[in-house]
Amino acid sequence: MSTVEKKLDDQQTTTAQGAREAAAPKPLRADAQRNRDRLVEVAATAFAKQGVDASLEEIARQAGVGIGTLYRHFPTREHLVEVVYRREVEALCAAADDLASHHSADMALEQWMQRFVDYIATKRGLAASLRILFNTNSAVFSDLSGRVSLALRQLVEAAAAEGSIRGDVDASDVLHALGGIYSAPDTKDWRDRSRRLVKLLMDGLRFGAGKR
């Protein structure tokens, strides 16, 4: 490599590094991070109960901060929706490993599916804004695609290997059955009915399976 080429290569490397550093978000102060986490937590509950049109002012009030603090962290409603959705997916996927390490395989699967009901409740509340995000090609969908199905497959395969559910179960069929919960009418007892459906589904998965 010539001297000129080397200088150009060094300049390009320095420029690329600078761009990455500029793009990387600066770490928040501890109090600011607590405020952000609290806003996301409150927003997830509000969206699940009231839908995506839940009052941002009320979310800020319940989180113990001003509306200006909310907008500093989340400039638009869609930004808040995206962060809440990402948080819910990541928490659901992390729960699979945690439950598997503390329970038998079939109980880990059942409890994870009950948590899936809570995830679906939040997703239903976010539906309108998630469609907007999808239409604008938000990276959130490509980033998280497949993570939920992978977590479920690992739990199903572990339970089948243990002999606590039927060995002919396909995780994609279980996910399809769970997906039906999302389409159920949004009645007052939707969550309770959904939890009962999960128990029925687990009864079916356990039927004919003998513990080894």
Side-chain angles (χ1 to χ4, degrees):
M1 180 182 295
S2 69
T3 302
V4 173
E5 289 174 329
K6 187 175 186 307
K7 286 183 177 179
L8 287 173
D9 186 61
D10 289 343
Q11 288 175 352
Q12 290 172 347
T13 300
T14 301
T15 300
Q17 275 183 325
R20 284 194 296 270
E21 290 171 1
K26 294 181 180 179
L28 297 173
R29 299 191 318 271
D31 58 337
Q33 185 64 56
R34 283 194 298 272
N35 287 340
R36 187 180 192 277
D37 293 343
R38 180 62 179 155
L39 282 165
V40 174
E41 180 182 353
V42 172
T45 300
F47 291 152
K49 290 182 178 179
Q50 304 166 34
V52 76
D53 292 327
S55 166
L56 296 184
E57 287 79 6
E58 181 62 18
I59 289 172
R61 189 190 68 78
Q62 290 188 22
V65 301
I67 189 63
T69 298
L70 184 149
Y71 280 118
R72 277 196 297 275
H73 288 289
F74 310 105
T76 66
R77 182 181 293 268
E78 285 70 28
H79 186 196
L80 178 58
V81 165
E82 179 174 334
V83 173
V84 167
Y85 179 61
R86 185 182 295 277
R87 170 189 179 270
E88 293 299 300
V89 172
E90 290 175 347
L92 183 65
C93 294
D97 290 334
D98 182 60
L99 291 169
S101 65
H102 290 89
H103 301 279
S104 62
D106 59 326
M107 285 304 301
L109 174 61
E110 181 172 357
Q111 290 191 31
W112 187 88
M113 289 198 295
Q114 294 291 1
R115 295 193 186 195
F116 187 88
V117 172
D118 297 328
Y119 161 74
I120 286 295
T122 301
K123 190 174 180 181
R124 283 163 68 109
L126 299 177
S129 282
L130 287 177
R131 281 194 293 270
I132 294 173
L133 291 174
F134 183 79
N135 291 335
T136 56
N137 297 316
S138 171
V140 68
F141 293 101
S142 58
D143 289 348
L144 303 177
S145 176
R147 290 187 59 184
V148 172
S149 57
L150 175 61
L152 175 60
R153 186 171 75 244
Q154 290 172 338
L155 291 169
V156 168
E157 290 177 352
E162 182 187 75
S164 52
I165 66 171
R166 296 168 48 169
D168 60 348
V169 174
D170 189 310
S172 61
D173 292 337
V174 179
L175 185 61
H176 186 72
L178 290 172
I181 294 174
Y182 184 85
S183 304
D186 190 11
T187 58
K188 290 183 178 179
D189 64 342
W190 172 86
R191 197 181 292 250
D192 290 337
R193 286 189 298 107
S194 298
R195 295 196 185 285
R196 292 196 296 271
L197 285 173
V198 167
K199 287 185 174 295
L200 287 172
L201 178 56
M202 279 304 305
D203 286 344
L205 294 175
R206 289 186 175 113
F207 181 77
K211 289 262 190 181
R212 293 176 185 174

